C-alpha cells in the first residue's frame, strides 16, 4: 500500500514538475529534490491508509465555489459598469 502510494504520488508530482518547467531537461536537478520532498510531505500529511475523501464534501465545495465565483463576477461587472470608474 505504501509503495503504491509512493509511486502514484511521485508520478503525479513529477508530471506536474515536467509541465511547470515546460519539459526542459535542465530543471530536473532541482526537480528531483523538489518532487522527493513533496512526496515525503504528502505521505506524512496524508498517509495512504487515511482516506478522507467525501462525495458530500466535494459537492458542497463545488456549490460553494460556483456561488462565490458568480458573486465575484457580478461584483466585478457592477464595478466595471459604474459610471466614472477608472479601471
Amino acid at each position: 500500500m505504501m509503495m503504491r502510494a509512493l509511486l502514484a504520488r511521485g508520478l503525479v508530482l513529477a508530471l506536474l514538475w515536467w509541465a511547470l518547467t515546460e519539459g526542459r531537461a535542465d530543471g530536473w536537478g532541482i526537480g528531483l529534490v523538489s518532487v522527493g520532498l513533496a512526496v515525503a510531505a504528502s505521505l506524512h500529511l496524508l498517509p495512504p491508509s487515511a482516506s478522507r475523501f467525501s462525495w458530500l464534501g466535494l459537492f458542497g465545495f463545488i456549490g460553494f465555489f460556483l456561488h462565490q465565483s458568480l458573486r465575484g463576477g457580478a461584483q466585478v461587472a457592477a464595478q466595471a459598469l459604474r459610471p466614472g470608474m477608472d479601471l
Side-chain angles (χ1 to χ4, degrees):
M1 179 73 99
M2 180 66 97
M3 186 56 90
R4 182 176 166 189
L6 180 79
L7 291 174
R9 294 176 193 198
L11 179 63
V12 168
L13 291 170
L15 286 173
L16 179 63
W17 180 265
W18 178 76
L20 289 173
T21 59
E22 298 175 351
R24 292 181 49 147
D26 59 349
W28 279 105
I30 190 74
L32 290 176
V33 173
S34 300
V35 167
L37 290 173
V39 168
S42 78
L43 289 173
H44 176 72
L45 294 173
L46 185 62
S49 62
S51 176
R52 295 184 183 149
F53 183 77
S54 164
W55 285 103
L56 184 61
L58 175 66
F59 289 128
F61 175 73
I62 290 172
F64 170 79
F65 180 80
L66 291 175
H67 178 261
Q68 294 299 320
S69 294
L70 291 173
R71 188 172 156 208
Q75 184 178 10
V76 169
Q79 287 180 0
L81 295 175
R82 189 173 299 158
M85 185 62 141
D86 271 345
L87 296 178

